[in-house]
Amino acid sequence: MEKKNIEWAELGFGYMKTDYRFVSHYQNGAWDEGVLTEDANVVINECAGVLQYAQTVFEGMKAYTTADGRIVTFRPDLNGERMEQSAVRLEMPVYPKEEFVKAVLKTIKANEAYVPPYGSGATLYVRPYLFGSNPVIGVKPADEYQFRVFTTPVGPYFKGGVKPLTIRISDFDRAAPNGTGHIKAGLNYAMSLYAIVDAHKQGYDENMYLDAATRTKVEETGGANFLFVTKDGKVVTPKSDSILPSITRRSLMQVAREYLGLEAQEREVYVEELADFAECGLCGTAAVISPVGKIVDHGKEICLPSGMSEMGPVTKKLYDTLTGIQMGTIKAPKGWVVEV
């Protein structure tokens, strides 16, 4: 298929309407088969559950053009599993992961003219989401829902190359110990907006949230998991029941062990350890890994030895290996790369 006439290299990380999106409705206790539609507008009642009580969950994924010209997406089954878990936690009907994957592939296929060419630095971002759609005025779950998938071509998350970030330890809490931090609910992101805007006003790129119970352990940022590298080359990521199980982070840990031969640990990470790490990165779909150069703890600066000018050596190997797997230049583990 002929690609759209888009200046791929000029794309930022923003929304651009594409031709088709997938929509399925849940009514009378069952999901319908769903359809592709050209209508990008969502029409719901003013009292819809999503508007009144934030009953919504979502996922974030990407589709790529590989070096040999195939269109692929990365581990969509794990996004489907995570959406199932998110739906259960918010008392929403589960959209089965098998149907989730089919809907995602169908939507990418319908918009393949918007999948950027290999080497352009751009990708097709895919956003599946689920929300309560019927009127709800009492505090209770909705009875009707919509599951939708839209796509938008995006450029690199960081234009002009990846530069190490300066982050602060936040006084705000991201999630309660038995709350919703482990699911991808819209309400979690709404709660982080004040803190991130405040961080930007203070000159920081991101927040480091600590555990709400003791405020001694590292959790995550508003939209990414942490990954640390020790001075002897071990890869460490925080373990907590109140952080989101990032698919990128889980994949990077496997890459560390199986491709790079590194020791990789998921364990509790204490604030007092931060000065002992050699490298730090934020893991997520948008940028894969964003390096951190400086952590500020209420005026005390912790500078990572990897420096403020470039990605650390281990972080760079992890980034290059995972993006190589996604783009088809490195052989992927079975099931990781799904062709559209």
Side-chain angles (χ1 to χ4, degrees):
M1 176 180 281
E2 186 177 347
K3 297 292 185 184
K4 296 288 183 179
N5 185 22
I6 295 172
E7 293 291 337
W8 305 107
E10 302 303 314
L11 284 175
F13 200 85
Y15 173 77
M16 176 188 293
K17 180 185 172 185
T18 55
D19 293 341
Y20 296 97
R21 64 274 313 132
F22 180 86
V23 185
S24 177
H25 293 88
Y26 181 89
Q27 292 177 309
N28 302 317
W31 289 103
D32 65 20
E33 291 185 3
V35 296
L36 288 171
T37 176
E38 296 182 47
D39 188 357
N41 296 309
V42 180
V43 179
I44 51 177
N45 186 274
E46 63 187 348
C47 195
V50 61
L51 301 178
Q52 304 309 315
Y53 303 118
Q55 201 181 15
T56 180
V57 298
F58 70 97
E59 283 296 322
M61 314 163 63
K62 284 183 175 179
Y64 316 82
T65 301
T66 62
D68 59 2
R70 295 174 299 133
I71 294 176
V72 303
T73 190
F74 185 69
R75 309 192 78 177
D77 57 319
L78 294 189
N79 290 95
E81 283 182 11
R82 192 167 64 182
M83 179 167 271
E84 286 185 343
Q85 294 159 2
S86 296
V88 168
R89 182 62 177 80
L90 289 194
E91 281 296 331
M92 306 169 80
V94 165
Y95 195 81
K97 69 176 181 180
E98 296 81 11
E99 296 304 313
F100 173 100
V101 172
K102 289 178 186 176
V104 164
L105 297 180
K106 187 180 293 186
T107 309
I108 296 170
K109 179 69 175 175
N111 294 295
E112 62 179 320
Y114 289 92
V115 182
Y118 175 77
S120 65
T123 54
L124 186 72
Y125 189 81
V126 184
R127 171 55 59 86
Y129 59 113
L130 171 61
F131 60 90
S133 55
N134 69 292
V136 178
I137 195 66
V139 180
K140 63 179 182 178
D143 298 312
E144 297 178 1
Y145 297 82
Q146 288 187 38
F147 169 74
R148 303 176 70 101
V149 185
F150 71 81
T151 60
T152 182
V154 296
Y157 197 70
F158 295 102
K159 294 289 281 185
V162 176
K163 297 292 189 294
L165 309 174
T166 296
I167 65 176
R168 70 171 182 184
I169 293 180
S170 179
D171 288 327
F172 298 102
D173 292 327
R174 178 189 161 271
N178 295 305
T180 58
H182 62 295
I183 66 168
K184 205 164 176 68
L187 57 91
N188 292 340
Y189 294 79
M191 288 168 62
S192 74
L193 295 178
Y194 181 88
I196 190 60
V197 170
D198 182 67
H200 290 165
K201 286 178 181 176
Q202 303 300 325
Y204 301 102
D205 297 299
E206 254 295 0
N207 290 293
M208 172 181 281
Y209 292 106
L210 306 182
D211 71 295
T214 70
R215 298 195 57 78
T216 61
K217 293 175 280 192
V218 175
E219 294 232 314
E220 61 172 298
T221 71
N225 283 181
F226 279 104
L227 183 147
F228 299 97
V229 180
T230 64
K231 290 173 182 174
D232 60 354
K234 296 184 181 71
V235 179
V236 177
T237 190
K239 184 177 183 178
S240 168
D241 292 334
S242 55
I243 64 176
L244 190 73
S246 163
I247 292 158
T248 303
R249 186 256 297 164
R250 284 182 275 171
S251 301
L252 286 166
M253 295 295 276
Q254 190 169 333
V255 164
R257 296 185 189 101
E258 298 180 7
Y259 283 76
L260 303 181
L262 302 173
E263 184 176 338
Q265 306 170 340
E266 183 181 1
R267 63 168 175 80
E268 293 181 334
V269 174
Y270 288 85
V271 174
E272 61 192 24
E273 294 182 71
L274 291 176
D276 297 328
F277 289 117
E279 300 174 39
C280 173
L282 309 183
C283 321
T285 299
V288 183
I289 309 179
S290 307
V292 174
K294 184 189 294 183
I295 302 166
V296 180
D297 182 4
H298 299 86
K300 175 187 173 185
E301 294 188 351
I302 301 168
C303 295
L304 283 301
S306 58
M308 286 294 291
S309 61
E310 60 186 6
M311 194 177 281
V314 176
T315 304
K316 183 71 164 61
K317 287 179 185 176
L318 288 166
Y319 175 87
D320 288 345
T321 306
L322 187 59
T323 54
I325 288 169
Q326 292 171 333
M327 294 296 177
T329 59
I330 296 175
K331 184 175 175 57
K334 184 177 180 181
W336 277 30
V337 175
V338 178
E339 188 168 353
V340 175

